Amino acid sequence: MNYLDTLNPKQREAVLATEGPLLIVAGAGTGKTKTLTHRIYHLIHQGVHPRNILAITFTNKAAKEMRERVMHMMSQDHGMNETPILSTFHSLGVRILRRFSHEAGLKKSFTILDSGDTMKLVKEAMETLGINPKVHEPKKIRSFISSKKSDGLSADSFGKATHSAFTEIVSAVWVKYEELKSKESAVDFDDLLLKTLDLLEKNIQIRKTLQNEWKYIHIDEYQDTNRVQYDIVRLLAESHHNLCVVGDTDQNIYSWRGANLRNILNFEKDYPEAQIILLEENYRSTKNILLAADEVIKKNTARIHKELRTKQGDGEKIKLFTAMNEGDEARHIATTAQDLINQGNSATEIAVLYRTNFQSRILEEAFLRANVPYQLLGTKFFERKEIKDVVSYIRAAFNRDSLSDIKRIINEPKRGLGPAAIIKIFSGLRNDLPPAQGRTYDAFEQLLDKILDFSSDHTPSEFVRFVIERSGLFDMYKNGTEDDHERLENLEELVTFATRYDIAQSEQHTPQPPLIEGAPEQIEKMLEDIALQSDQDQIDDSNKKSGVKLMTIHSAKGLEFDYVFIGGLEQGLFPHDGYDEKKTVEDQEEERRLFYVALTRARKVLMLSYAMMRTIYGEQKFNMPSDFLSDIPEEIIEREDNFGGDTPEPVRTVYLDW
């Protein structure tokens, strides 16, 4: 029982409460991952078979960390080769839909579309319907459809409820979009959840089968679940109620993508017999950081009250820098980061957080001028053109119905198959092609056959290398421009990425039959992971990119650093006004939660800043300090500026419209 000795009393209580519903309210830095993994291991130690345990979180990074911790603990016990299912919600949806593809009305080899793929199909749907993209923005329509899917609506159910000109257009595009996906045997991210829920609701036998398999269910970040995720969890746990959810109302920052705070607030109502355990001992931050965070968040009303405490000392005061403008602020952040690095601190332990993406540009310029290494989270590796080309070759080899993938690569590299030829091919008129183009297309199909054949008896990294070389992409880039050489380096990195699946393949104890026909399991897993990448998955754990991390606060959720900068703390920017004339109380509280999340990313030192002037949309504006700053006790703030004197305390300004 030594594994229990490392837990504090509340963590231990949560680990031992194995039967029935349990809500663990885990404040920032209170060891929720440790508690969850120890609880899973305790269940196994008590005789529960690993296959009867399911744990779901929101990012691949978090799932990987949980998996590694559980496997390490299990390695201490001889004979424990099988691990529980530890995955994201979307990965769970893939697992269920592949397994029960026939019942879900899908092919086993269905393709998972990323955000770029879905936008292409939405635009194609609009073009087919004659809807002008300059009048009706495709991105807005796509986002609207996604939000409705998060609420559990289908194209059919939404169509029956439409009542405005815009929603009528959305409804028509949605129906056509679903038709295009169906033709390609493809699903989008939202389908992975919505179709899983539909399957569980309509097929009692499948629901019972999964309930009998997963007798102990754990949900991380429960405050971030949307309506569909909530219903999936409810159905999986309805027969045994052994449901452990972990969350924090103060860290709900994703309402814009469907997260419903009521799911965690109503847990006791949903499960009256539930136990509630609060984790309040913080192992991350100093007392001053926690005091600032507590003073900020306690103004919110929609929350489960808790008070974080720590055995660490007071730590340094919170630094507050007043800049003349955004350039001054960015220079200060870059030079301070350089000073920290010169003092022997690791660049990977420094993060710069900001409210909106546009703030990154001026920061990048400042870091480049100061010659400070940095890593910007935002440009996803797997969204680069050359990477998507290789992935499309692989997906097209396994799923010949995926017309989007075939359209992407049929002329990449150039094969002389122009738009007219492609239209004939996609219309089933292959025989109408001129002889030369017919032979070219036959060679293309033979290439896809060779890719499929090669996958069956080679490691994933060998397979990816084969695709890069045989497709002609390697030859196309190797003698090209400097940009082409960079693309080639990215393709080499893709091979490196695939090696992690080589290891998984060699360590696999009991090989499972592939869920995609013709696709070896580890290649299938690689495709799934690529499709479900999140912003946090860009962080290089091997420290190959050992620079200061620049990211939005939303991307920083779940991460922690020794030194944290939070820039742009100006009224209107953070809290963010956006384009809404009036923010609701819920919107205002979410902005406050977002600031709370930013504050609690810091372990040792917290550095805040704002600019008195900032140019936004080409117009220079004078700013007032964020109201959030006035919530932090003055005695724990250390002020500085570039003006040679003390910075005045934040004051409120009333504007008169003459």
Side-chain angles (χ1 to χ4, degrees):
M1 301 293 283
N2 290 341
Y3 62 93
L4 295 176
D5 296 339
T6 64
L7 304 170
N8 68 37
K10 285 296 182 182
Q11 290 174 334
R12 185 185 180 108
E13 183 182 350
V15 167
L16 296 177
T18 58
E19 304 303 313
L22 171 67
L23 168 60
I24 303 174
V25 180
T30 57
K32 70 178 178 66
T33 303
K34 179 178 182 179
T35 304
L36 263 179
T37 52
H38 276 65
R39 190 177 193 274
I40 291 169
Y41 177 72
H42 177 67
L43 284 167
I44 297 170
H45 196 271
Q46 294 297 107
V48 177
H49 197 285
R51 76 167 66 97
N52 296 139
I53 300 172
L54 171 66
I56 310 174
T57 187
F58 276 83
T59 67
N60 293 319
K61 188 175 188 297
K64 178 185 175 185
E65 182 182 358
M66 287 177 61
R67 190 178 302 111
E68 288 174 347
R69 289 199 193 189
V70 171
M71 289 178 68
H72 175 73
M73 297 178 73
M74 291 177 65
S75 68
Q76 312 299 315
D77 291 344
H78 298 294
M80 283 194 176
N81 292 330
E82 194 169 347
T83 56
I85 295 175
L86 303 165
S87 77
T88 64
F89 268 104
H90 289 91
S91 292
L92 180 70
V94 173
R95 175 183 290 268
I96 292 173
L97 293 176
R98 295 271 194 224
R99 180 176 171 183
F100 302 106
S101 57
H102 177 73
E103 292 84 351
L106 296 168
K107 290 179 61 175
K108 275 191 177 181
S109 57
F110 65 77
T111 296
I112 304 170
L113 304 175
D114 64 19
S115 56
D117 298 328
T118 59
M119 275 305 305
K120 283 183 180 179
L121 286 188
V122 167
K123 289 177 180 177
E124 185 177 338
M126 293 176 66
E127 183 180 344
T128 303
L129 295 169
I131 297 172
N132 190 342
K134 294 182 179 179
V135 177
H136 302 285
E137 188 180 351
K139 187 175 180 180
K140 183 178 179 181
I141 292 176
R142 172 69 187 98
S143 297
F144 191 89
I145 291 172
S146 180
S147 69
K148 295 304 176 183
K149 283 189 170 186
S150 295
D151 291 336
L153 294 177
S154 65
D156 182 57
S157 57
F158 177 75
K160 293 176 180 176
T162 56
H163 53 74
S164 71
F166 174 71
T167 54
E168 290 290 346
I169 289 171
V170 170
S171 179
V173 173
W174 192 348
V175 170
K176 179 57 66 175
Y177 169 66
E178 294 297 330
E179 289 177 5
L180 293 172
K181 278 192 302 164
S182 180
K183 277 184 182 179
E184 299 198 10
S185 298
V187 297
D188 59 28
F189 281 11
D190 299 311
D191 292 330
L192 295 176
L193 301 179
L194 195 57
K195 288 183 179 295
T196 297
L197 175 59
D198 187 61
L199 186 66
L200 292 173
E201 287 180 332
K202 294 179 179 178
N203 195 307
I204 297 174
Q205 187 56 51
I206 290 176
R207 186 164 74 239
K208 287 183 177 179
T209 296
L210 295 178
Q211 288 170 353
N212 289 333
E213 286 185 19
W214 298 325
K215 297 176 181 176
Y216 293 87
I217 298 176
H218 304 74
I219 310 296
D220 189 19
E221 305 287 7
Y222 192 64
Q223 78 281 348
D224 291 334
T225 53
N226 61 27
R227 171 63 185 273
V228 176
Q229 291 160 338
Y230 167 85
D231 284 335
I232 289 172
V233 171
R234 175 181 55 80
L235 290 173
L236 290 176
E238 71 177 354
S239 67
H240 48 68
H241 280 198
N242 291 327
L243 174 62
C244 170
V245 303
V246 184
D248 181 8
T249 51
D250 296 337
Q251 297 187 69
N252 172 270
I253 58 173
Y254 294 115
S255 66
W256 50 274
R257 69 180 188 195
N260 190 342
L261 187 60
R262 295 295 162 189
N263 291 348
I264 190 170
L265 291 174
N266 291 339
F267 189 79
E268 288 180 271
K269 181 180 178 181
D270 294 335
Y271 303 95
E273 72 276 30
Q275 286 182 259
I276 313 294
I277 297 174
L278 271 61
L279 302 184
E280 297 175 297
E281 185 171 348
N282 180 282
Y283 295 93
R284 177 187 300 164
S285 307
T286 64
K287 287 183 181 178
N288 282 337
I289 292 171
L290 294 184
L291 176 58
D294 186 61
E295 289 298 314
V296 165
I297 201 62
K298 71 182 185 182
K299 286 191 172 182
N300 277 8
T301 57
R303 63 188 296 254
I304 299 173
H305 178 75
K306 63 185 181 310
E307 292 184 11
L308 296 182
R309 57 183 182 276
T310 181
K311 293 178 181 177
Q312 299 188 53
D314 291 341
E316 295 189 28
K317 286 188 175 182
I318 294 169
K319 312 291 192 295
L320 176 58
F321 178 75
T322 302
M324 179 66 72
N325 53 40
E326 68 268 30
D328 185 27
E329 179 189 48
R331 283 190 295 273
H332 170 77
I333 291 173
T335 55
T336 305
Q338 183 68 77
D339 291 342
L340 289 170
I341 294 170
N342 291 340
Q343 293 163 15
N345 298 293
S346 171
T348 58
E349 287 301 336
I350 305 171
V352 183
L353 310 183
Y354 36 85
R355 176 61 180 84
T356 58
N357 275 305
F358 81 82
Q359 292 171 259
S360 67
R361 183 195 62 81
I362 193 71
L363 287 165
E364 278 199 90
E365 289 181 5
F367 273 76
L368 287 169
R369 286 198 191 99
N371 199 28
V372 179
Y374 70 92
Q375 181 187 5
L376 176 67
L377 272 73
T379 303
K380 296 184 181 180
F381 176 78
F382 293 102
E383 289 184 357
R384 298 176 187 272
K385 176 190 179 301
E386 60 274 15
I387 303 301
K388 288 176 70 70
D389 287 345
V390 173
V391 171
S392 284
Y393 268 105
I394 298 172
R395 296 197 313 194
F398 294 135
N399 177 14
R400 300 301 171 87
D401 290 334
S402 185
L403 299 184
S404 292
D405 286 314
I406 292 174
K407 186 185 296 183
R408 181 182 187 91
I409 59 174
I410 196 169
N411 252 341
E412 195 69 30
K414 298 296 183 185
R415 292 188 173 86
L417 294 173
I422 293 173
I423 290 173
K424 288 181 181 178
I425 292 167
F426 284 5
S427 301
L429 302 175
R430 151 61 185 91
N431 294 331
D432 291 349
L433 291 174
Q437 287 188 334
R439 289 191 294 272
T440 300
Y441 180 65
D442 289 343
F444 173 71
E445 286 207 310
Q446 289 165 12
L447 171 62
L448 296 182
D449 291 337
K450 289 175 183 176
I451 290 173
L452 182 60
D453 291 341
F454 193 87
S455 70
S456 62
D457 54 0
H458 291 82
T459 65
S461 63
E462 291 171 338
F463 172 66
V464 172
R465 185 182 297 277
F466 176 85
V467 173
I468 292 170
E469 292 175 352
R470 288 300 184 94
S471 65
L473 293 174
F474 180 85
D475 289 336
M476 183 174 71
Y477 292 132
K478 73 175 181 179
N479 297 318
T481 65
E482 187 174 332
D483 287 343
D484 288 336
H485 292 163
E486 183 179 338
R487 291 189 179 97
L488 201 53
E489 289 174 354
N490 289 332
L491 293 179
E492 290 171 352
E493 181 63 24
L494 182 62
V495 176
T496 302
F497 169 80
T499 59
R500 70 179 64 178
Y501 300 90
D502 297 349
I503 298 171
Q505 182 171 292
S506 64
E507 291 180 347
Q508 198 169 340
H509 297 283
T510 53
Q512 301 294 320
L515 294 172
I516 303 177
E517 293 177 14
E521 185 181 7
Q522 290 309 316
I523 293 177
E524 170 197 324
K525 183 68 171 68
M526 181 182 71
L527 287 175
E528 176 188 323
D529 288 348
I530 289 173
L532 303 181
Q533 286 284 316
S534 71
D535 288 343
Q536 287 189 9
D537 297 321
Q538 298 172 75
I539 295 179
D540 193 346
D541 292 325
S542 66
N543 284 336
K544 279 183 67 178
K545 297 181 179 178
S546 56
V548 176
K549 302 296 182 287
L550 275 57
M551 67 186 90
T552 65
I553 300 165
H554 284 97
S555 295
K557 173 78 181 299
L559 305 178
E560 56 186 71
F561 304 89
D562 285 345
Y563 301 91
V564 171
F565 295 87
I566 306 174
L569 281 163
E570 299 131 32
Q571 200 64 20
L573 181 55
F574 197 13
H576 194 252
D577 284 346
Y579 297 101
D580 298 329
E581 292 185 4
K582 187 175 181 180
K583 289 271 188 180
T584 65
V585 172
E586 289 80 6
D587 293 334
Q588 293 169 13
E589 294 207 349
E590 179 147 340
E591 285 293 305
R592 189 171 292 277
R593 290 195 294 270
L594 193 58
F595 187 48
Y596 173 85
V597 166
L599 294 173
T600 53
R601 298 311 93 199
R603 298 190 193 105
K604 297 179 180 178
V605 180
L606 191 56
M607 292 160 281
L608 314 180
S609 60
Y610 68 93
M612 294 194 298
M613 293 183 291
R614 186 178 297 271
T615 302
I616 298 178
Y617 205 52
E619 180 181 350
Q620 192 173 70
K621 296 183 178 180
F622 290 88
N623 307 305
M624 292 306 299
S626 169
D627 282 347
F628 294 153
L629 294 174
S630 61
D631 295 332
I632 301 175
E634 187 61 34
E635 61 269 20
I636 64 171
I637 293 180
E638 181 180 308
R639 297 175 179 273
E640 55 180 321
D641 58 40
N642 283 343
F643 313 129
D646 293 333
T647 303
E649 295 184 15
V651 295
R652 295 182 183 275
T653 301
V654 177
Y655 294 92
L656 300 178
D657 187 8
W658 298 98

